[in-house]
Amino acid sequence: MSFEWLGCSKSKWFLAIVIIGCCFSVTAEAAGNLNISASAAIVMDQQTGQVLWAKNPDWQRPIASLTKIMTAILVLELNDLDESVAISREAARTPGSSMYLRMGVDYRVRDLLHGLMLLSGNDAAVALAEHSCGSVDQFVAFMNKKAVLLGASLTSFTNPHGLPDTEHYSTAYDMALLTRHALDISEFASLVASNKAVIPDPLEAAHR
């Protein structure tokens, strides 16, 4: 079972997504008794896509770092994990949560993905977006096209990390669709199942 959640105390709302795998089941009676404080939530069967329970599933809300699910999907589909990524000034200076990338230093895609998903690194998101499509704008355009292809019609992305923007939002239902697709990618499933990762220092490796 995979559980993704997001909370924002300033706007007093919460979004919850639960994807149930083949080893779990939720009866209609049990679903009706769910007591979830989230203002928008959904329970979806991972194999079939059947919605087992929902609460305001189509309410468009900011999604913050849940954005990185889509970022990881595209990075895994467009790149080899051992490709080298040069860190730009823009990536290194990205505000918010960070894996503290250094401008001009090269990192592997796999290490940046760990920084993206385990540290919620906004700098990693920008670096991977630039590497994948040449620019953040082109990557964001790809994010929106992919969302439409996956049926997430109530979703709009303006960046690869989730920093606030009035035109950056999704719904519990759409995020469940994206998460279901992501978990079908073996590298993504392994990534989010990890408790920790060792990310080597590229500068130390270069001096060995």
Side-chain angles (χ1 to χ4, degrees):
M1 179 174 65
S2 174
F3 177 62
E4 296 285 347
W5 67 274
L6 168 68
C8 179
S9 58
K10 289 184 179 179
S11 57
K12 298 182 179 179
W13 68 274
F14 295 86
L15 172 67
I17 304 157
V18 181
I19 303 292
I20 304 290
C22 61
C23 297
F24 298 84
S25 64
V26 176
T27 65
E29 181 180 358
N33 292 329
L34 287 177
N35 183 18
I36 295 178
S37 61
S39 55
I42 194 166
V43 179
M44 178 182 286
D45 185 284
Q46 183 181 349
Q47 286 195 326
T48 67
Q50 178 184 359
V51 175
L52 305 174
W53 180 87
K55 176 182 178 182
N56 298 323
D58 297 326
W59 188 15
Q60 292 175 321
R61 300 296 295 160
I63 51 174
S65 283
L66 287 179
T67 300
K68 296 180 174 88
I69 295 173
M70 175 61 93
T71 300
I73 289 172
L74 293 182
V75 169
L76 287 167
E77 292 182 350
L78 295 171
N79 303 283
D80 183 275
L81 291 176
D82 289 318
E83 287 179 15
S84 180
V85 179
I87 305 304
S88 70
R89 175 178 298 192
E90 291 72 20
R93 292 184 173 182
T94 306
S97 56
S98 177
M99 64 178 294
Y100 303 103
L101 298 175
R102 285 165 287 186
M103 183 182 69
V105 178
D106 291 347
Y107 292 78
R108 294 181 305 171
V109 167
R110 71 170 69 249
D111 295 328
L112 292 175
L113 279 169
H114 279 115
L116 178 80
M117 299 304 292
L118 300 185
L119 296 173
S120 194
N122 294 339
D123 51 354
V126 172
L128 288 167
E130 292 174 337
H131 176 76
S132 298
C133 291
S135 72
V136 169
D137 287 345
Q138 290 182 21
F139 188 82
V140 168
F142 203 175
M143 293 173 76
N144 286 307
K145 290 178 181 178
K146 187 70 174 182
V148 172
L149 287 174
L150 293 177
S153 59
L154 297 178
T155 293
S156 173
F157 295 110
T158 62
N159 61 64
H161 38 61
L163 287 174
D165 187 293
T166 56
E167 297 302 315
H168 191 98
Y169 52 79
S170 187
T171 67
Y173 177 76
D174 280 6
M175 289 309 304
L177 289 180
L178 301 185
T179 303
R180 180 180 175 230
H181 176 77
L183 289 171
D184 281 337
I185 303 171
S186 59
E187 294 88 353
F188 182 92
S190 297
L191 179 64
V192 296
S194 304
N195 293 319
K196 61 181 180 179
V198 177
I199 301 176
D201 187 328
L203 294 180
E204 288 185 3
H207 287 92
R208 289 176 183 172

